[in-house]
């Protein structure tokens, strides 16, 4: 079956531009996560949705970062006024239910480069 | 608070040799533990997970890991390395409750020499 998909796969932005990154989770998955992976590092948690509700946004680095999942399926991560330190791979993951033992299935990521 | 330490950012083995990737965790409550593999330009794929059932967990591609509470460890092993095992491996912890997020280690790059 189809896995988690993300678009675009690569994005180059000039400093100060706004970007929007899209995540299509596995159909029917309740939970959706965004992670940020800097070069040579492990993924770091950004935010978590349960259906359309954003239950945890403690990992968002600044108020320039905003995420939504209005209909409980597709999610968008928006970064306003991009800075060079925002350059990273942004990973989306979904899981079937809300148990902490549920497997998180990851998409291929969007590599963002801010010039 | 929860954290993961992966000892060795780079491990190199010969094809057919034992693979041992180390992971130690810190958690204030009994943890759930995961190993993921990441191939270049791909997302993370689950290898195996510990969810408080059997302490020896078997995963895909011949990998296994043993949860040792006394050592706060969850090391990943494979008896015989294949060239196709070359990738980056991440250990992650989730302390459960209302905390659904995974906390990852910095990863270990495994290279397999012919």
């Amino acid at each position: 079956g189809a896995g988690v998909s993300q678009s675009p796969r690569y994005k180059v932005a000039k400093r100060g531009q706004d970007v929007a990154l899209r995540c299509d989770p596995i159909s029917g998955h309740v939970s959706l996560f965004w992670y940020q992976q800097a070069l040579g590092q492990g993924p770091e948690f950004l935010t978590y949705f349960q259906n359309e509700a954003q239950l945890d946004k403690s990992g968002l680095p600044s108020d320039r970062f905003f995420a939504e999942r209005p209909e409980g399926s597709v999610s968008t991560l928006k970064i306003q006024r991009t800075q060079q330190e925002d350059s990273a791979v942004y990973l989306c993951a979904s899981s079937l239910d809300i148990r902490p033992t549920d497997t998180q299935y990851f998409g291929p990521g969007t590599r963002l480069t801010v010039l | 608070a929860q954290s993961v330490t992966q000892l060795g950012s780079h491990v190199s083995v010969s094809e057919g040799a034992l693979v041992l990737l180390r992971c130690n965790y810190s958690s204030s409550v009994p943890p759930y533990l995961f190993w993921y593999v990441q191939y270049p330009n791909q997302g993370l794929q689950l290898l195996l997970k510990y969810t408080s059932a059997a302490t020896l967990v078997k995963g895909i591609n011949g990998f296994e890991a043993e949860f040792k509470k006394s050592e706060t460890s969850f090391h990943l092993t494979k008896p015989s390395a294949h060239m196709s095992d070359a990738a980056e491996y991440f250990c992650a912890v989730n302390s459960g409750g209302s905390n659904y997020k995974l906390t990852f280690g910095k990863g270990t790059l495994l290279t397999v020499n012919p």
Side-chain angles (χ1 to χ4, degrees):
Chain A
V4 178
S5 61
Q6 294 185 244
S7 61
R9 289 293 313 277
Y10 303 91
K11 177 70 179 177
V12 178
K14 292 183 179 179
R15 189 164 60 94
Q17 282 185 331
D18 298 348
V19 298
L21 312 180
R22 177 186 169 105
C23 172
D24 284 83
I26 295 173
S27 179
H29 276 198
V30 169
S31 295
L32 186 144
F33 303 80
W34 284 98
Y35 292 87
Q36 180 190 58
Q37 185 175 21
L39 189 64
Q41 302 293 316
E44 292 193 355
F45 170 80
L46 293 176
T47 188
Y48 164 65
F49 289 86
Q50 191 176 111
N51 294 306
E52 69 278 3
Q54 188 175 22
L55 298 188
D56 187 344
K57 53 182 181 179
S58 63
L60 296 177
S62 76
D63 58 7
R64 296 186 295 104
F65 286 70
F66 171 77
E68 60 182 5
R69 193 186 184 198
E71 298 180 357
S73 55
V74 171
S75 176
T76 303
L77 176 66
K78 298 179 179 178
I79 308 174
Q80 297 177 325
R81 305 180 303 281
T82 53
Q83 304 295 314
Q84 284 190 326
E85 61 263 28
D86 300 335
S87 295
V89 175
Y90 291 85
L91 295 168
C92 175
S94 70
S95 63
L96 179 63
D97 210 319
I98 62 174
R99 293 179 297 264
T101 55
D102 288 338
T103 296
Q104 293 185 25
Y105 296 88
F106 283 79
T110 295
R111 182 178 298 277
L112 173 65
T113 303
V114 182
L115 303 177
Chain B
Q2 55 191 26
S3 65
V4 172
T5 301
Q6 291 185 241
L7 293 175
S9 59
H10 186 194
V11 170
S12 182
V13 300
S14 298
E15 194 174 16
L18 171 71
V19 175
L20 171 61
L21 304 181
R22 299 179 186 274
C23 172
N24 289 87
Y25 69 90
S26 172
S27 176
S28 57
V29 297
Y32 304 116
L33 294 157
F34 305 78
W35 274 101
Y36 280 86
V37 60
Q38 186 175 35
Y39 297 100
N41 297 317
Q42 294 186 29
L44 283 76
Q45 179 184 5
L46 182 72
L47 281 175
L48 50 79
K49 62 181 176 181
Y50 167 74
T51 60
S52 75
T55 56
L56 182 62
V57 182
K58 295 186 183 298
I60 62 171
N61 301 338
F63 285 94
E64 64 180 38
E66 186 172 7
F67 172 68
K68 292 187 176 181
K69 183 178 178 181
S70 61
E71 299 178 7
T72 61
S73 69
F74 190 57
H75 302 331
L76 182 71
T77 60
K78 182 174 180 177
S80 177
H82 294 168
M83 296 296 289
S84 59
D85 294 328
E88 185 127 33
Y89 292 79
F90 292 95
C91 182
V93 63
N94 180 328
S95 295
S98 61
N99 183 3
Y100 303 101
K101 66 184 179 183
L102 292 174
T103 298
F104 287 86
K106 292 187 174 182
T108 297
L109 180 65
L110 175 67
T111 58
V112 182
N113 303 306

